Structures are given as structure tokens and as C-alpha cells.
Amino acid sequence: MAVLNDELRNRIADLLPRYPHKQAVTLPALHIVQDALRCVPREAIREIADLLDLSPAEVLDTMTFYGFFRTEDNPLGRTRLWLCRSLACMLRGSDALTEHLCRSLGVSPGETTKDGAITLETAECIGACEGAPCALVNDERTMNLTPEKADQLVSRLRQHLP
């Protein structure tokens, strides 16, 4: 049974003219699928491979090279909250902030809250050192976080979820 619907297939196919080789679309295709499905199911790997004239192993190689893709055994929550742990952020309290969020969300880094709302992760650097400690909420930067600001952020995230 197909995992990728027509919209996802078309979004991937629309990328093909932008790249010199089909294989170069592997990484963007994986992002498209994960953004839509909150993971990259095994069957989607096969379907991406078919679309790009690759073997499933080639797609899986790309997927497993990067640490941010998830399988259906460990999907992302509706919101992905990345906490930066670079030196600049650590010097400005990111360790304490991570501990605070772990306690308040009831998860460890890499885990998703029981309600499936938030996946808490850490990143080596998100490129916002001037606003340390910082985080990414999906793809949006949040800077100068404190435990209080983090609690407000989590509250806003939960309000916007179904």
C-alpha cells in the first residue's frame, strides 16, 4: 500500500528539474516526507527510491547519515523543539534550561511527550549564538530563553495544537 499521496509525489517530482541528477533530490524528498508524515516510513523509503531511480538502500543511506530523520517506530511530535547546546548557549544556561524542560515535559532529549505534542531534542548549534540560549521550534528560532520564557513557549505550543 502506498504511503506517499499524490501531493507528496508531485512535490518531490517538482524538485527534479532543479537538480542535475535525480539522486540529488534524496535529501529534499526525505524532508518533504518527514514534514508531512512526522517520520519517514519504510515504505516511503521504497517509494522515494522508485521516484528517483535509486535503490532503497541508497535512500536509507542518506536518511541514516543525518540524525534528524525519524522512522515510524519513533515519529516526531506535532512540534519539534530543538534546544541548542553549543558553547555559547551552554555558557548562558542551556544545560539548566534543558533540565527544566525535561522535567516540565516529562521527557528526555530525543523523546516525545505522551500526548504526541512536542518532541524535545538537542542540537550542537542552530546558528543563533547572539541570542543564547536559543532553540528552534520546528524551523523558527527562539532566542534568549529562560525557564520562564520556555514555559510560556510550551504553553503557546500546546494552545495551538489540536
Side-chain angles (χ1 to χ4, degrees), residues 47-134:
E47 293 176 38
I48 292 168
D50 287 344
L51 286 169
L52 303 181
D53 296 327
L54 301 170
S55 71
E58 290 173 293
V59 176
L60 184 62
D61 281 349
T62 301
M63 181 177 155
T64 56
F65 179 80
Y66 297 97
F68 45 79
F69 291 112
R70 298 294 192 99
T71 65
E72 66 260 43
D73 299 328
N74 188 21
L76 289 170
R78 290 181 293 269
T79 299
R80 189 175 211 175
L81 177 58
W82 293 87
L83 296 175
C84 185
R85 52 186 249 175
S86 70
L87 180 60
C89 285
M90 287 177 69
L91 290 172
R92 299 213 40 215
S94 68
D95 286 345
L97 182 64
T98 300
E99 289 176 22
H100 174 79
L101 280 168
C102 285
R103 278 193 310 277
S104 67
L105 294 172
V107 298
S108 294
E111 295 179 343
T112 301
T113 56
K114 286 184 174 123
D115 61 1
I118 299 169
T119 298
L120 179 66
E121 295 184 299
T122 58
E124 290 308 315
C125 184
I126 63 170
C129 298
E130 72 279 9
C134 56

Side-chain angles (χ1 to χ4, degrees), residues 12 17-18 20 22 34 39 41 44 49 53-54 61 69 82 88 106 133 151:
I12 294 168
R18 297 182 189 179
K22 285 184 175 184
Q34 180 161 283
C39 66
D53 296 327
L54 301 170
D61 281 349
F69 291 112
W82 293 87
D151 289 341

